[in-house]
Amino acid sequence: MHNESYRSAGVDVTAGYRAVELMKGDVKRTHNSSVPEDIGGFGGLFIPDLSGYKEPVLVSGTDGVGTKLKIAQLLDKHDTVGIDLVAMCANDIICCGAKPLFFLDYINCGKNVPEKIAQIVKGIADGCVKAGCALIGGETAEHPGLLPEDEYDLAGFCVGIADKSKLVGKTAQSGDTLIGIASSGVHSNGFSLVRKVFDIGNSELDKELGEKLLTPTEIYVKPVLELIENINVKGIANITGGGFYENIPRCLPQGLTAEVIKNSYEIPPVFDIIAERGNIPEQDMYGTFNMGIGMVVVIAPENAEAAIAILSKSGLKAYCIGKIAEGKELTVI
């Protein structure tokens, strides 16, 4: 159906139909036996398998990709930011020990270019496959006048499940070990500062730098769930906006803090470049970026070696990066 009146206002509904057709294959490959076929239309359906759960608890998370999207738009490369979108939501809910079940996305664009939307959704599907969740719905909204034609914004929503008795809480004790799991780079936070440091948007973006910055956020779901199955995990922190100083304390009981040893792991060169070029103090770097550690897990010291072995088996680098101590202020030494 063609709607010339709506098209004259800047909204092309036929482009929306075309985008849906292009993304169907990618959406389908995220589905499993819990996703009913050809039912619904206005809502995403999911039939959870509750066998093995005594007291199932649903855990949800929502987030976006932030101004990292500006890099994708400048490079006209849109097939990885969907991975970031899933990561930002799924990595949050596994901090409770929850297994992601399903995901929904929201794409807001100035102009619906079906091929571009399909690239974005391909990335979302890639992320869902890696996180082990089904993409069961979404929305693409064309908003002429609100966004420039070549710009878009993304938001996502993820729901997971855990048994109440197995939820990861705040049970750390003084002397416990911090296990840091390596990040894939800057991930998806701090990009307003990154863009300021490299003057991105006001000058031509170097393609090599842009592609380095677009490296997708690591999705830690399956390795961390395996860790939880085998080792008593006392707290998990997703290192996103606010860096070490904001996120690590969120998984600790009151009265305890963390001592992080900065030379205990390899810091990716991109962070040194950002700090040097932007003349950014060390404390601000650790309070903004992940500094090479995308997730922190708290365990008893005697379990450290086994934990690192489990994570390494999944292809992730992991390190003992510090310990839990009494106090209020997190320290990086």
Side-chain angles (χ1 to χ4, degrees):
M1 184 190 78
H2 296 277
N3 189 328
E4 294 303 326
S5 298
Y6 211 5
R7 190 196 298 257
S8 70
V11 178
D12 184 359
V13 293
T14 60
Y17 304 150
R18 171 69 176 154
V20 169
E21 286 302 313
L22 289 174
M23 69 176 72
K24 273 185 176 179
D26 281 311
V27 173
K28 182 79 173 176
R29 65 188 170 91
T30 72
H31 288 181
N32 52 43
S33 59
S34 291
V35 182
E37 295 297 327
D38 301 322
I39 299 176
F42 289 90
L45 279 67
F46 191 88
I47 305 169
D49 179 5
L50 300 180
S51 59
Y53 291 94
K54 293 181 180 178
E55 288 186 90
V57 177
L58 295 180
V59 181
S60 60
T62 185
D63 210 336
V65 179
T67 61
K68 183 175 186 175
L69 294 176
K70 292 291 288 184
I71 314 293
Q73 289 156 12
L74 286 168
L75 287 185
D76 195 24
K77 179 175 170 53
H78 313 285
D79 60 345
T80 61
V81 287
I83 300 173
D84 291 291
L85 183 64
V86 176
M88 295 300 285
C89 300
N91 285 346
D92 270 352
I93 69 171
I94 60 164
C95 291
C96 299
K99 175 185 177 182
L101 295 175
F102 59 84
F103 190 87
L104 292 91
D105 66 80
Y106 179 81
I107 305 171
N108 177 22
C109 55
K111 180 178 176 61
N112 188 333
V113 179
E115 293 74 17
K116 182 189 291 186
I117 300 300
Q119 284 186 54
I120 296 168
V121 174
K122 177 192 178 298
I124 295 171
D126 288 342
C128 284
V129 168
K130 190 165 186 182
C133 60
L135 178 56
I136 64 168
E139 172 74 10
T140 301
E142 193 172 22
H143 288 162
L146 184 63
L147 287 174
E149 285 194 356
D150 60 344
E151 291 188 8
Y152 57 86
D153 196 13
L154 305 179
F157 176 77
C158 188
V159 172
I161 190 169
D163 210 319
K164 186 178 179 182
S165 64
K166 295 182 179 179
L167 286 170
V168 176
K170 303 178 180 182
T171 59
Q173 298 172 291
S174 182
D176 280 343
T177 296
L178 294 174
I179 300 293
I181 312 175
S183 69
S184 56
V186 184
H187 280 185
S188 301
N189 64 276
F191 271 84
S192 294
L193 180 54
V194 169
R195 286 166 45 239
K196 178 185 177 185
V197 167
F198 293 108
D199 200 27
I200 295 172
N202 298 314
S203 60
E204 189 172 345
L205 176 59
D206 177 76
K207 186 179 179 183
E208 186 178 351
L209 170 63
E211 290 182 346
K212 182 73 174 174
L213 293 173
L214 274 184
T215 302
T217 305
E218 184 65 55
I219 294 176
Y220 298 102
V221 171
K222 293 176 182 178
V224 170
L225 288 177
E226 184 180 354
L227 188 67
I228 292 168
E229 279 295 312
N230 290 279
I231 287 174
N232 179 28
V233 174
K234 300 183 175 187
I236 306 175
N238 185 18
I239 311 301
T240 55
F244 282 43
Y245 287 102
E246 182 177 327
N247 291 292
I248 295 176
R250 290 170 65 183
C251 76
L252 302 178
Q254 195 168 6
L256 293 181
T257 187
E259 295 177 354
V260 177
I261 303 168
K262 61 189 176 187
N263 65 356
S264 58
Y265 68 94
E266 184 180 350
I267 298 175
V270 65
F271 295 108
D272 294 329
I273 295 168
I274 292 169
E276 185 177 341
R277 181 157 178 171
N279 194 26
I280 301 170
E282 182 179 83
Q283 184 166 340
D284 288 357
M285 290 295 295
Y286 280 92
T288 304
F289 301 108
N290 66 63
M291 297 302 287
I293 297 295
M295 189 153 285
V296 170
V297 178
V298 183
I299 59 172
E302 60 268 22
N303 292 328
E305 189 175 330
I308 290 173
I310 289 170
L311 294 165
S312 298
K313 192 173 67 174
S314 301
L316 294 171
K317 292 182 179 179
Y319 315 85
C320 293
I321 65 165
K323 65 179 182 179
I324 304 301
E326 293 182 6
K328 294 182 179 180
E329 297 294 327
L330 182 142
T331 56
V332 179
I333 55 177

